[in-house]
Amino acid sequence: MDADAVVVGAGLAGLVAACELADAQRSVVLLDQESEANLGGQAWWSFGGLFLVDSPEQRRMGVHDSLELAWQDWQGSAGWDRLVAPDGGPGPDHWGREWARSYVEWAAGEKRAWLRERGVSFFPVVGWAERGDGTSGGHGNSVPRFHIPWGTGTGLVAPFEKRVREHMAGGRIVYRPRHRVDELVTSVGAVTGVRGAVLAPDASPRGVASNREVTGGFEYGAEVVLVAAGGIGGDHSLVRAHWPSRLGEAPRDLLTGVPAHVDGRMLAITEAAGGAVVNRDRMWHYTEGVRNWDPVWPGHGIRILPGPSSLWFDAHGDRLPSPFLPGFDTLGTLGHLRRTGAEHSWFVLNRSIVGKEFALSGSEQNLDLTERRYRDVLRRPVTKVQPSVQAFLDHGEDWLTADTLDQLVARMNALEPDHPIDAAHLTRQVVERDRQVDNEFTKDAQVAAIRVARRYRGDRLTKRAFPLHRILDPKHGPLVAVRLRVLSRKTLGGLHTDLSGQVLDTAGSPVPGLYAAGEVAGFGGGGVHGYRALEGTFVGGCLFSGREAGRAAAAAL
């Protein structure tokens, strides 16, 4: 035996699990197919938003939240319908629901203090993500819960990377980058180690696709193997293979929202060793994707985090109906657009709305927050257009501007000649909307939603919900159109695990010696989110499942 535990994957979940094991005086071998430059995985690139319930930040913003309301929202979003197996036993959703309840309780309890102990603090304004499908008991956050950490995803990774390096210096963790696991070693039904290939050194910067040249092999034996190797978002063939019909036809033209190493390999490898994979058809992809003008990985896309004011049109120039509004119902909007017969949609707005309501997802797109430049953050509400957004306006292939709608539509049609939009048709819809903003009464659901957003102190202070005005008001010009495409992101299903993180077999029994955490386990139980997520729950799911699985594996040893 080479160590007490082998952890496969050095992303956030793997780092947290390795810390928990080593903190419990267990010896750990930490393996990853990528170079040391990629320590922290895709979490390093993330905005880092975290789902917290009844936090001091919420209360200071006048938000009244509770465990009961958060659990209501989570259940309404998850829509679990596989709780019971045909034989009457626990179904594929049973453990996901158990994980979800534990996670929401953690988010309403210890989570914030646990992070604060590790040096994580929060931007004081709480964001309101996934505002929902318009029903009280359905999908969406009833209140703002999206807490942005200072340092974004990079700042979340940092304390765990630091702790891992301390354990490396102390000899408790042995870190082996460029070690790709190809097989879980089993003996008499138990997982006893890993076997794989040593890949050639690669000096590529973080996130850049690395070589797959094999220079040797390795094998490590351990009492416990913990898999934390991420999801399938970087492999479009796997995304399309498992794409559910309820979301329409799988896109032919996908942007990639995660590095290429997010390849889902360990799902099949763990399955071959006896672990069960459940809920493969559940996934989370964004419709507000734009091609990165300065890409890091192949097909690199960036998600626009929109405020509530942009007008959203499908490829034919038809305005999207409620609840398919910007920032409200990600998968509902995805399913609606995938049935239009086109690969793209459009935001139509003006420069004022772009400047105030647009944010871009990712640590590298929010350097003021990532680098904790507090003065720059304070300037956001008074800056006409954020520098990262301006760079896309200047260089992005999907971003168009014009002084009139006729000119704008002409440019839209030049970019997408196979789906021409009738200028008169689009103009009529914009004018109809503009007539709804002249008084306090409206029958336009989006205008009503903007007014609700404007009553939230956080949206008002940050101008994430910009004051209502006519889109065609020349004082707020020029006009802007942004072509949007589907951006691959998260796997919501995965390895079936019990509440300790132990991987289950197809009969629902634990596989001895095998644990999983993070996205590869559907962030716990093979589906903590069910069908839909509330946002702020992905990096948080890595933290929680890595912590719980690491602690359970350490206790089992």
Side-chain angles (χ1 to χ4, degrees), residues 68-194:
E68 294 75 20
L69 181 60
W71 181 233
Q72 173 181 303
D73 288 348
W74 195 294
Q75 292 182 94
S77 298
W80 293 294
D81 56 7
R82 302 167 185 172
L83 291 166
V84 181
D87 64 1
D93 278 336
H94 170 79
W95 287 111
R97 188 181 187 278
E98 293 295 306
W99 271 94
R101 179 65 190 188
S102 294
Y103 181 79
V104 175
E105 290 174 352
W106 187 57
E110 184 191 359
K111 181 179 181 180
R112 184 180 181 277
W114 184 78
L115 286 166
R116 293 281 292 181
E117 288 171 3
R118 285 150 183 80
V120 177
S121 57
F122 297 97
F123 180 62
V125 177
V126 183
W128 194 353
E130 284 297 294
R131 303 188 186 207
D133 63 5
T135 62
S136 299
H139 170 59
N141 286 295
S142 298
V143 298
R145 297 190 176 106
F146 192 79
H147 294 67
I148 302 168
W150 288 112
T152 62
T154 302
L156 277 181
V157 168
F160 301 100
E161 178 181 347
K162 178 184 177 184
R163 185 62 177 150
V164 163
R165 292 193 184 280
E166 291 170 351
H167 281 303
M168 289 166 59
R172 191 154 283 120
I173 292 179
V174 175
Y175 171 46
R176 293 287 181 262
R178 302 299 287 164
H179 279 55
R180 184 187 69 199
V181 172
D182 297 326
E183 180 184 358
L184 300 184
V185 179
T186 60
S187 176
V188 196
V191 173
T192 57
V194 298

Side-chain angles (χ1 to χ4, degrees), residues 126-345:
V126 183
W128 194 353
E130 284 297 294
R131 303 188 186 207
D133 63 5
T135 62
S136 299
H139 170 59
N141 286 295
S142 298
V143 298
R145 297 190 176 106
F146 192 79
H147 294 67
I148 302 168
W150 288 112
T152 62
T154 302
L156 277 181
V157 168
F160 301 100
E161 178 181 347
K162 178 184 177 184
R163 185 62 177 150
V164 163
R165 292 193 184 280
E166 291 170 351
H167 281 303
M168 289 166 59
R172 191 154 283 120
I173 292 179
V174 175
Y175 171 46
R176 293 287 181 262
R178 302 299 287 164
H179 279 55
R180 184 187 69 199
V181 172
D182 297 326
E183 180 184 358
L184 300 184
V185 179
T186 60
S187 176
V188 196
V191 173
T192 57
V194 298
R195 187 180 294 129
V198 179
L199 303 180
D202 194 309
S204 299
R206 180 186 288 272
V208 174
S210 62
N211 75 68
R212 290 295 179 262
E213 178 186 348
V214 175
T215 62
F218 70 87
E219 183 170 342
Y220 288 104
E223 191 173 342
V224 161
V225 173
L226 193 153
V227 178
I232 68 173
D235 187 332
H236 293 181
S237 63
L238 285 176
V239 170
R240 293 188 182 98
H242 300 303
W243 189 273
S245 59
R246 66 179 175 274
L247 293 179
E249 184 180 353
R252 299 181 300 277
D253 179 22
L254 265 172
L255 298 175
T256 308
V258 295
H261 61 72
V262 185
D263 55 18
R265 292 181 70 256
M266 286 306 300
L267 286 164
I269 291 168
T270 309
E271 198 172 20
V277 179
V278 295
N279 303 317
R280 296 180 192 268
D281 62 318
R282 294 181 186 166
M283 51 186 69
W284 187 262
H285 307 299
Y286 293 110
T287 49
E288 310 100 324
V290 293
R291 189 174 297 279
N292 193 350
W293 67 272
D294 186 20
V296 177
W297 53 79
H300 189 177
I302 296 292
R303 185 202 174 196
I304 295 173
L305 301 172
S309 301
S310 301
L311 293 184
W312 204 336
F313 295 89
D314 65 23
H316 311 294
D318 295 322
R319 188 178 171 195
L320 270 58
S322 177
F324 310 135
L325 308 175
F328 276 71
D329 184 354
T330 292
L331 289 196
T333 305
L334 176 59
H336 176 84
L337 289 172
R338 292 309 308 144
R339 292 178 174 85
T340 64
E343 298 287 296
H344 67 282
S345 62

Side-chain angles (χ1 to χ4, degrees), residues 394-408:
D394 293 340
H395 306 295
E397 67 179 57
D398 301 301
W399 302 64
L400 308 171
T401 60
D403 291 326
T404 69
L405 272 181
D406 283 347
Q407 293 170 350
L408 191 67

Side-chain angles (χ1 to χ4, degrees), residues 398-431:
D398 301 301
W399 302 64
L400 308 171
T401 60
D403 291 326
T404 69
L405 272 181
D406 283 347
Q407 293 170 350
L408 191 67
V409 171
R411 293 178 182 177
M412 294 162 70
N413 290 341
L415 188 60
E416 285 289 349
D418 293 336
H419 294 279
I421 290 174
D422 180 73
H425 177 57
L426 187 135
T427 298
R428 176 181 58 77
Q429 295 170 89
V430 176
V431 170

Side-chain angles (χ1 to χ4, degrees), residues 463-528:
K463 295 186 171 63
R464 282 283 289 159
F466 195 66
L468 267 170
H469 63 279
R470 291 174 178 256
I471 298 289
L472 298 180
D473 185 341
K475 292 185 298 186
H476 294 283
L479 297 171
V480 179
V482 185
R483 180 179 61 179
L484 309 171
R485 284 172 284 178
V486 178
L487 179 74
S488 68
R489 188 66 66 119
K490 293 298 180 187
T491 312
L492 299 189
L495 295 172
H496 204 188
T497 64
D498 63 17
L499 208 50
S500 70
Q502 190 157 16
V503 177
L504 307 176
D505 62 21
T506 54
S509 300
V511 178
L514 184 58
Y515 291 77
E519 191 175 352
V520 76
F523 303 92
V528 69

Side-chain angles (χ1 to χ4, degrees), residues 42-66:
Q42 62 176 305
W44 189 94
W45 295 97
S46 75
F47 201 18
L50 291 169
F51 178 94
L52 294 174
V53 178
D54 193 26
S55 69
E57 289 78 14
Q58 285 176 298
R59 293 194 289 273
R60 282 195 290 269
M61 286 289 105
V63 175
H64 303 285
D65 200 4
S66 67

